[in-house]
């Protein structure tokens, strides 16, 4: 009787083990399948960034203009020098408004110009950038190998190339972007904002790994990369469907566009008229 009971319990244990084994294998398969999906989803979320290709191209003009300080030939930049050096932006930066109303306004003001022109502002910001570069590259905890400064002639040449050469980006395949004069002005304002604190975020010769610096030009001291001005998707993390739009008379809400965070079946549901 005892032997039969022991044998019955043993058979039961073996049967239970055989029954549980497929379940364990199934759990392992599910975990192995979900983890790559989670990693892919996480990578997608981390890569959900918007990049202004034109702003990157405009900022990259300064890669050519930042040189060894003892090699600078043209350090002082005036508004007139900027207009002469970048003639493509003269009409936008000289601040002279054309037309009858502009003439009346100048007459009433009693002067040819009512105030500083965009070229004046750019000249002032370039001087601020040069001062910031001197502080950055000569301080106790500097991140660059040599003292650097701003070379105006090299910048003029780089800007001229950027304005006439359409640029592309792997983030937006199939699209070509043309840098404009306003992009150059905004890039300079961005670079000098907050006592030029953006300089700390850039990659510099002397604090970057050899593999990165090896692909730079021999005279290059700094590199601007898209990640340094990337902006996170403002809709990231918002679940469900977000509808935007109104009727032509603006009286009632009429969905015209939708933005969603969830993928898969939710994307199909959000797109349905109902």
């Amino acid at each position: 009787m005892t032997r039969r009971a022991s044998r019955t319990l043993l058979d039961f244990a073996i049967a239970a083990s055989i029954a549980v084994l497929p379940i364990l294998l199934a759990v392992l398969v599910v975990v192995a399948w979900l983890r790559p999906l989670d990693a892919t989803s996480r990578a997608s979320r981390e890569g959900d960034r918007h990049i202004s290709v034109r702003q990157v191209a405009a900022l990259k003009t300064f890669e050519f203009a930042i040189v060894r300080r003892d090699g600078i030939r043209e350090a002082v930049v005036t508004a007139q020098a900027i207009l002469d050096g970048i003639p493509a932006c003269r009409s936008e930066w000289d601040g002279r408004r054309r037309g009858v109303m502009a003439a009346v306004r100048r007459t009433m003001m009693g002067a040819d110009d009512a105030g500083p022109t965009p070229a004046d502002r750019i000249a002032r910001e370039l001087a601020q950038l040069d001062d910031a570069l001197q502080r950055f590259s000569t301080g106790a905890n500097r991140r660059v190998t040599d003292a650097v400064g701003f070379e105006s002639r090299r910048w003029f040449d780089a800007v001229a190339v950027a304005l006439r050469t359409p640029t592309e980006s792997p983030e937006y395949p199939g699209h070509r972007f043309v840098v404009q004069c306003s992009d150059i002005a905004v890039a300079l304002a961005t670079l000098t904002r907050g006592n030029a604190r953006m300089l700390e975020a850039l990659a510099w010769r002397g604090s970057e790994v050899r593999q990165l610096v090896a692909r730079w030009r021999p005279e290059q001291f700094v590199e601007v990369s898209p990640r340094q001005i990337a902006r996170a998707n403002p809709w990231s993390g918002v679940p469900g469907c977000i509808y935007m739009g109104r009727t032509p008379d603006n009286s009632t809400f009429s969905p015209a566009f939708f933005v969603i965070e969830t993928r898969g079946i939710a994307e199909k549901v959000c797109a349905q008229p109902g």
Side-chain angles (χ1 to χ4, degrees), residues 14-256:
I14 294 174
S17 300
I18 295 175
V20 170
L21 184 61
I23 298 176
L24 294 176
L25 292 175
V27 170
L28 291 175
V29 171
V30 170
V31 170
W33 181 70
L34 287 178
R35 285 184 64 85
L37 287 182
D38 179 69
T40 302
S41 176
R42 182 169 59 253
S44 176
R45 290 194 300 270
E46 292 175 351
D48 193 8
R49 298 289 186 272
H50 297 289
I51 298 170
S52 173
V53 178
R54 286 163 41 187
Q55 187 180 14
V56 172
L59 282 168
K60 278 187 166 294
T61 60
F62 293 95
E63 293 179 354
F64 298 87
I66 297 176
V67 299
R68 280 176 58 104
R69 198 159 196 87
D70 57 8
I72 296 176
R73 293 172 298 171
E74 298 182 29
V76 179
V77 185
T78 64
Q80 188 59 49
I82 291 171
L83 297 177
D84 294 339
I86 312 176
C89 299
R90 177 183 293 274
S91 60
E92 187 172 336
W93 290 353
D94 66 359
R96 298 175 184 175
R97 300 179 181 179
R98 275 71 178 176
V100 177
M101 293 303 297
V104 171
R105 184 172 181 271
R106 288 196 298 270
T107 302
M108 293 177 63
M109 295 296 295
D112 290 338
D113 297 302
T117 66
D120 292 327
R121 184 179 65 254
I122 290 172
R124 183 176 65 252
E125 291 175 345
L126 288 176
Q128 294 172 356
L129 174 62
D130 187 60
D131 291 341
L133 286 170
Q134 183 174 18
R135 294 192 303 270
F136 175 79
S137 61
T138 59
N141 298 318
R142 67 185 190 182
R143 295 179 46 224
V144 59
T145 55
D146 299 278
V148 296
F150 177 79
E151 164 67 55
S152 61
R153 177 50 54 187
R154 292 175 62 89
W155 186 61
F156 294 159
D157 294 340
V159 169
V161 172
L163 291 174
R164 68 171 180 262
T165 308
T167 184
E168 298 180 355
S169 173
E171 286 82 10
Y172 306 100
H175 295 275
R176 306 188 76 187
F177 302 87
V178 179
V179 177
Q180 302 174 6
C181 296
S182 58
D183 299 319
I184 302 297
V186 170
L188 175 58
T190 302
L191 197 57
T192 56
R193 186 179 300 129
N195 293 323
R197 62 175 178 268
M198 186 178 178
L199 296 179
E200 293 286 348
L202 302 181
W204 293 91
R205 182 182 295 273
S207 55
E208 292 296 329
V209 297
R210 290 184 178 180
Q211 291 82 351
L212 175 65
V213 177
R215 59 182 177 81
W216 290 7
R217 300 183 309 278
E219 74 281 4
Q220 184 175 348
F221 279 90
V222 64
E223 183 182 55
V224 178
S225 66
R227 63 181 174 80
Q228 281 143 356
I229 63 168
R231 297 292 180 267
N233 180 1
W235 301 106
S236 180
V238 180
C241 313
I242 302 172
Y243 294 94
M244 300 181 293
R246 290 189 177 276
T247 54
D249 60 359
N250 206 36
S251 59
T252 59
F253 180 81
S254 176

